[in-house]
Amino acid sequence: MRPQIEARERRLEENRKKAAIAFDRMMGKVQIFLADGNTHSAYKTVTYFAGQYEQNLSPELLVTAASEAVRIGIKAKTNIQELGKWLHKGVATAMSSQAREGIEESLDLIDAYGEYFYQKTLAKGLCCLGIY
């Protein structure tokens, strides 16, 4: 079974390399969208890419894609539940390494975007109570 395992490992490594190259191309495209002020297209590009390549991206690139999705999604005024999904994916992926760096990266994500989610949740709660 050794040859089959080695062939599978080579395929997986090739897929990871292709995903990394595609990530760089995608980020270039996103930068163009952002420069043009088209945050909605930038957000859709990042999220579509992350969904398509999730299995082949390294954890570091997946965390970066999730972080970019949240950052750009905030600018694009995307639904908070959808943004929460991407924040969760970024934190869960970073924590999956169970290394100090992964924990630090998770805390960085929460620190960077936590206030936004807290304020949105608070505003929605106050809105429901009729208090502004």
Side-chain angles (χ1 to χ4, degrees), residues 20-35:
I21 291 167
F23 179 84
D24 290 337
R25 279 195 310 255
M26 179 272 304
M27 287 305 292
K29 188 175 182 180
V30 165
Q31 293 305 319
I32 292 169
F33 283 137
L34 291 175

Side-chain angles (χ1 to χ4, degrees), residues 37-52:
N38 193 347
T39 55
H40 179 73
S41 291
Y43 174 76
K44 288 297 184 186
T45 300
V46 171
T47 57
Y48 178 80
F49 174 84
Q52 286 294 111

Side-chain angles (χ1 to χ4, degrees), residues 12-81:
L12 290 174
E13 185 59 33
E14 185 64 31
N15 288 342
R16 281 188 216 105
K17 287 178 184 178
K18 287 179 182 178
I21 291 167
F23 179 84
D24 290 337
R25 279 195 310 255
M26 179 272 304
M27 287 305 292
K29 188 175 182 180
V30 165
Q31 293 305 319
I32 292 169
F33 283 137
L34 291 175
D36 291 342
N38 193 347
T39 55
H40 179 73
S41 291
Y43 174 76
K44 288 297 184 186
T45 300
V46 171
T47 57
Y48 178 80
F49 174 84
Q52 286 294 111
Y53 286 92
E54 181 175 355
Q55 299 300 319
N56 296 321
L57 285 173
S58 67
E60 296 82 17
L61 290 181
L62 185 55
V63 169
T64 301
S67 177
E68 285 297 304
V70 174
R71 182 181 69 81
I72 296 167
I74 289 171
K75 289 180 182 180
K77 296 179 175 53
T78 302
N79 178 310
I80 192 164
Q81 288 86 2

Side-chain angles (χ1 to χ4, degrees), residues 95-116:
M95 290 293 291
S96 69
S97 71
Q98 298 180 356
R100 180 181 178 100
E101 294 80 19
I103 294 169
E104 288 174 357
E105 195 159 6
S106 294
L107 291 173
D108 287 345
L109 284 170
I110 293 168
D111 186 45
Y113 304 116
E115 185 67 25
Y116 173 81

Side-chain angles (χ1 to χ4, degrees), residues 116-129:
Y116 173 81
F117 282 90
Y118 177 74
Q119 292 299 327
K120 281 293 202 180
T121 304
L122 186 61
K124 284 186 182 284
L126 291 176
C127 177
C128 293
L129 297 174

